[in-house]
Amino acid sequence: MENNKLLEVKNLKKYFNLRSGFLFQKFTGSVKAVDDISFFIKRGETFGLVGETGCGKTTVAKVILRLVPQTSGEATYNGVNLFKLNSKEMFKIRREIQVIFQDPYASLSPRMTVGDIINEPFEIHKIGDKRKRIKKVKELLRVVGLNPEHIHRYPHEFSGGQRQRVGVARALALTPKLLLCDEPVSALDVSVQAQILNLLTDLQKEFNLTYLFIAHDLSVVKHVSDRIGVMYLGKMVEVAKSEDLYKTPLHPYTMGLLSAIPIPDPELERKRKRIVLEGDVPSPINPPSGCSFHTRCPNAQDICSMEEPELRDYSKNGNEHLAACFFAGKPIV
Amino acid sequence: MTETENNKILEVKNLSTYFYTDDGVVKAVDDVSFDLKKGETLGIVGETGCGKSVTALSILRLIPQPLGRIVAGEIIFEGRDLLKLGQKDLQNLRGNKISMIFQDPMTSLNPVYTVGNQVMESLIVHRKLKKDEARREGLKLLEMVGIPEFKRRFNNYPHEFSGGMRQRVMIAMAIANSPSILIADEPTTALDVTVQAQILELMDELKYKTNSSIIIITHDLGVVAKYANRVMVMYAGKPVEFSSVDNIFYKPAHPYTIGLMKSVTRLDEEKRGKLKPIEGLPPSLIDLPKFCIFRARCKYACDECKGEYPPLKEIEKDHFVSCYRGKEFMEGIIERFDN
């Protein structure tokens, strides 16, 4: 069973320390960007991670890739703890874990041709000779739906959607197993968004990929994911199969989030009752005591501000459905 | 004047706004006509670069000059053509009878003045209030838009506010002089979903309270479905379909509108099928073809589409479409949501 999980993250924490003063900096506190998060991704599935700005979803990806060091916890990929590897071993494993970034305008070097950009992974990992590489780059361009003849063009000659395709091609170059997609479509227009989402789904089937799909748009995440984790202020508040999460959300934050998203259907919208969560997300420097959502929660009781609820399994149909709430499943009136 | 005409608070006729760049003339808005009725919310939707923001900016004549120019058209408001007004009359109008909420609350407030100061500004300028009166009014406005501890917050600077709170301040400024038209250009795009819901609810509530009309510009079809009464869909600087929200969503008759509806991810979709994106990309706005601009991406294109640009035609009451085959969609000769 264990083998079924391609990536498992356990009790992951990432605190950013805050210092003040010049010269003799004093430790003044920390931002708990990721606070004790655990989840796993099965082979071939898409795990969606949603949450609002600053909830720590991107930091999770960065820590897994070891682009920033973790504070504590472990991330096991294919049976090996990524945090225990030395740089040489990590270098090797990076071939199998690739990223697609949010902003196709910023993640491609403007001074390199598209061919050079996609070729770079081969160079870094010393794979193939020049002829083979060019052949491979052209093939990749074709796979992501671009014209292989455009290999000598620069990123600025492409539109946003096409640039994102280049980003996808680069990520695919080393035939990875796990792709971390950090808001891959949020910078794109709806009709182009759909093109990229379809491309990602097709590639998943073709190359047997596993995705960690990070986004703030729950309707996009729901569309692509098998299971979804909802984050709030550095914590995981709910994890469930995507249909279960939509049909029977247990955490009041998830309920609010679902209700906040207008559905493109006027009649349905007229009938729909809306839960509008009050207030803003609190600062992660001084997160509220107890359950960090209690300041905005319409169901909050005394206990919520004193104790922190654990992530527990409330599954009814056999599919794991975790929620961190004392009153999980209680409807919001 | 008949009653229905009386009902129109704003009428835009054949508006064209071009930008003269080194690469050529960009026809950002090309021959756009629409009207806004009293008390309604009009949604303008379309993708990046379709001219929806430029349309809004043109109404208040905020087009950056000399690069951009309104080359043709009329914008009738209260019996006057806004395009013929002098600077002074325009100033009297902006932020007074017609006001605007911009997309990015982080950059549209002045960082060196307190929030209170900025809310008072339009009261002092337009209503000629004294400072203490303006202060009293300003406090009332901040309370109205739901700023907690508004008395203390009045003296804060914009950087001390969160994005949602800043947008509330923008709204307070916009409604300060009870405008008859509120133009909101992507008012919630920079905000988180839960905050987006708060802001949109607030705008809707204030619309009823102040009895104003709203033009909301957005790319989010969900927002349009929820708040708009009528919708204009724009593509490459031209309106392609204009009708009631129900018609646009349930009986779209332009292939672009239909394509948009099919490519959007829906939270309530039952099965995870494949999305049906519109193939290809929007055209460059320089050197637009004479024929239908959507033809290159349209799977329903026929011989007739190679001819002149299809004019906006009324295919049923209050349902305007610029497509030669619009009628066929209406009569069910072409199935809209097939495959």
Side-chain angles (χ1 to χ4, degrees):
Chain A
M1 207 56 215
E2 191 64 29
N3 217 355
N4 206 1
K5 296 172 184 170
L6 185 64
L7 180 79
E8 185 162 22
V9 173
K10 266 189 198 155
N11 306 98
L12 187 70
K13 285 184 188 170
K14 173 65 203 173
Y15 296 170
F16 292 98
N17 291 337
L18 298 172
R19 291 163 206 286
S20 69
F22 184 56
L23 231 51
F24 303 101
Q25 296 193 332
K26 228 170 52 191
F27 174 80
T28 51
S30 54
V31 177
K32 296 180 175 176
V34 176
D35 198 7
D36 204 358
I37 274 192
S38 305
F39 65 92
F40 61 88
I41 311 177
K42 289 187 224 155
R43 277 168 213 279
E45 84 167 347
T46 301
F47 184 78
L49 207 52
V50 273
E52 296 179 283
T53 318
C55 73
K57 52 195 194 302
T58 298
T59 310
V60 170
K62 282 188 179 161
V63 175
I64 293 171
L65 285 164
R66 286 186 54 187
L67 295 175
V68 290
Q70 82 285 4
T71 303
S72 68
E74 47 185 87
T76 317
Y77 169 81
N78 229 348
V80 267
N81 185 352
L82 294 176
F83 301 153
K84 290 235 169 82
L85 299 179
N86 62 31
S87 56
K88 241 185 176 168
E89 292 164 324
M90 192 63 206
F91 180 76
K92 262 193 181 160
I93 238 164
R94 285 231 163 91
R95 278 195 203 180
E96 297 181 16
I97 311 177
Q98 292 285 320
V99 214
I100 301 168
F101 295 98
Q102 166 170 12
D103 189 351
Y105 294 83
S107 57
L108 302 176
S109 167
R111 302 178 61 165
M112 287 164 82
T113 63
V114 159
D116 289 339
I117 289 171
I118 303 173
N119 188 37
E120 207 180 13
F122 297 129
E123 257 169 41
I124 291 172
H125 289 271
K126 304 203 173 56
I127 295 169
D129 54 30
K130 206 175 166 196
R131 275 240 315 286
K132 269 190 195 152
R133 283 178 190 169
I134 291 180
K135 220 181 126 202
K136 194 81 211 279
V137 169
K138 284 191 174 166
E139 194 193 316
L140 282 163
L141 282 172
R142 203 183 37 75
V143 165
V144 298
L146 291 171
N147 188 342
E149 279 160 30
H150 294 170
I151 188 166
H152 298 300
R153 291 200 180 175
Y154 287 90
H156 74 261
E157 295 173 75
F158 294 95
S159 70
Q162 289 173 321
R163 271 184 248 203
Q164 200 57 298
R165 286 175 195 266
V166 174
V168 174
R170 174 177 60 187
L172 286 178
L174 299 168
T175 51
K177 294 202 173 91
L178 177 65
L179 263 187
L180 310 184
C181 313
D182 187 6
E183 302 265 14
V185 296
S186 60
L188 308 173
D189 274 316
V190 218
S191 69
V192 183
Q193 235 180 38
Q195 293 175 5
I196 299 293
L197 290 176
N198 277 350
L199 175 68
L200 289 174
T201 333
D202 290 344
L203 293 174
Q204 181 166 40
K205 273 189 215 135
E206 201 175 332
F207 299 105
N208 197 15
L209 296 167
T210 306
Y211 289 144
L212 172 62
F213 194 98
I214 299 169
H216 68 277
D217 186 337
L218 196 48
S219 49
V220 168
V221 173
K222 182 176 170 262
H223 181 82
V224 296
S225 308
D226 301 296
R227 290 188 307 128
I228 297 176
V230 182
M231 283 183 75
Y232 185 77
L233 268 186
K235 294 209 163 77
M236 195 73 95
V237 296
E238 186 160 358
V239 184
K241 279 196 83 160
S242 67
E243 294 88 64
D244 293 344
L245 189 86
Y246 172 68
K247 282 197 181 123
T248 50
L250 296 178
H251 197 283
Y253 176 62
T254 316
M255 296 177 194
L257 204 58
L258 285 167
S259 163
I261 301 167
I263 294 172
D265 190 331
E267 216 162 281
L268 210 100
E269 274 301 330
R270 267 170 234 144
K271 278 187 241 153
R272 210 163 156 229
K273 233 188 96 196
R274 227 170 178 194
I275 310 161
V276 177
L277 294 176
E278 308 256 316
D280 282 312
V281 183
S283 151
I285 301 173
N286 252 324
S289 61
C291 170
S292 49
F293 185 61
H294 84 258
T295 50
R296 298 175 77 192
C297 182
N299 284 349
Q301 310 274 336
D302 289 346
I303 183 174
C304 301
S305 57
M306 291 183 293
E307 269 175 64
E308 202 186 311
E310 258 176 65
L311 205 58
R312 276 184 44 204
D313 193 358
Y314 292 89
S315 66
K316 280 189 188 128
N317 53 5
N319 297 324
E320 193 178 54
H321 193 155
L322 307 174
C325 178
F326 292 115
F327 306 99
K330 185 180 168 190
I332 295 174
V333 206
Chain B
M1 234 188 259
T2 64
E3 203 188 15
T4 44
E5 269 171 15
N6 235 337
N7 216 355
K8 285 178 190 167
I9 184 159
L10 181 82
E11 213 177 343
V12 174
K13 287 182 193 161
N14 308 96
L15 178 74
S16 294
T17 305
Y18 296 171
F19 288 85
Y20 296 85
T21 68
D22 291 342
D23 297 330
V25 182
V26 177
K27 297 182 176 178
V29 172
D30 197 16
D31 200 8
V32 170
S33 304
F34 65 91
D35 58 277
L36 179 69
K37 289 185 186 136
K38 219 173 174 173
E40 83 167 339
T41 300
L42 172 73
I44 302 182
V45 277
E47 299 179 283
T48 318
C50 73
K52 52 194 195 300
S53 288
V54 177
T55 304
L57 291 173
S58 300
I59 295 172
L60 282 176
R61 290 191 29 206
L62 292 170
I63 300 296
Q65 280 174 338
L67 199 65
R69 222 187 307 151
I70 300 172
V71 292
E74 280 174 77
I75 299 173
I76 311 289
F77 174 70
E78 291 184 341
R80 289 188 296 178
D81 183 359
L82 299 188
L83 297 182
K84 295 210 176 91
L85 289 188
Q87 277 306 323
K88 218 177 154 195
D89 289 334
L90 257 182
Q91 286 297 6
N92 272 332
L93 209 78
R94 292 180 183 147
N96 192 13
K97 289 206 164 137
I98 303 178
S99 59
M100 191 142 178
I101 301 168
F102 295 94
Q103 168 170 3
D104 190 354
M106 311 283 166
T107 52
S108 43
L109 288 168
N110 191 332
V112 299
Y113 289 105
T114 61
V115 157
N117 219 316
Q118 297 183 57
V119 175
M120 277 157 61
E121 189 188 347
S122 77
L123 294 167
I124 293 171
V125 171
H126 289 299
R127 279 209 250 156
K128 312 269 184 299
L129 294 185
K130 294 225 174 60
K131 231 179 160 181
D132 55 325
E133 289 172 327
R135 198 188 148 80
R136 231 177 297 131
E137 275 294 302
L139 281 170
K140 251 194 236 162
L141 284 165
L142 288 192
E143 189 185 8
M144 205 158 137
V145 295
I147 299 219
E149 297 181 67
F150 58 94
K151 278 189 186 133
R152 186 174 64 80
R153 296 299 240 158
F154 195 78
N155 298 318
N156 281 19
Y157 287 89
H159 74 266
E160 297 171 89
F161 282 64
S162 68
M165 284 298 149
R166 271 181 246 199
Q167 201 60 303
R168 283 175 196 265
V169 173
M170 286 297 295
I171 293 175
M173 287 164 68
I175 59 162
N177 298 313
S178 350
S180 20
I181 302 173
L182 192 62
I183 302 172
D185 186 3
E186 303 263 12
T188 56
T189 310
L191 305 174
D192 274 317
V193 244
T194 54
V195 181
Q196 167 178 323
Q198 296 169 3
I199 296 294
L200 291 171
E201 289 293 321
L202 173 69
M203 279 177 52
D204 207 42
E205 194 188 305
L206 291 173
K207 184 185 99 170
Y208 288 106
K209 266 193 201 158
T210 58
N211 198 17
S212 54
S213 311
I214 294 182
I215 299 179
I216 185 164
I217 293 162
T218 176
H219 64 273
D220 188 333
L221 290 171
V223 170
V224 170
K226 169 97 182 144
Y227 296 101
N229 305 108
R230 284 193 304 156
V231 183
M232 177 164 78
V233 183
M234 285 184 76
Y235 182 76
K238 287 191 197 285
V240 292
E241 189 158 2
F242 185 30
S243 193
S244 71
V245 66
D246 283 24
N247 280 346
I248 293 286
F249 278 84
Y250 302 126
K251 294 195 283 174
H254 192 285
Y256 178 64
T257 318
I258 296 168
L260 271 187
M261 298 298 162
K262 282 191 202 165
S263 53
V264 68
T265 48
R266 289 176 59 144
L267 199 55
D268 64 332
E269 63 195 349
E270 275 296 315
K271 237 180 39 214
R272 255 201 297 151
K274 249 185 124 169
L275 295 167
K276 297 178 187 80
I278 306 169
E279 296 302 328
L281 299 163
S284 149
L285 297 177
I286 302 172
D287 300 325
L288 282 175
K290 280 239 166 61
F291 49 80
C292 171
I293 28 173
F294 189 64
R295 205 189 84 189
R297 301 175 77 185
C298 183
K299 59 178 188 181
Y300 304 104
C302 60
D303 278 350
E304 206 181 353
C305 306
K306 288 180 187 154
E308 290 249 305
Y309 185 85
L312 210 58
K313 254 175 52 190
E314 191 166 11
I315 51 167
E316 63 178 324
K317 198 175 176 295
D318 294 326
H319 190 166
F320 298 87
V321 178
S322 91
C323 176
Y324 288 118
R325 311 194 71 179
K327 263 224 143 82
E328 293 176 56
F329 287 111
M330 288 310 295
E331 286 158 6
I333 298 170
I334 316 175
E335 183 58 45
R336 290 187 186 94
F337 299 112
D338 59 343
N339 60 44

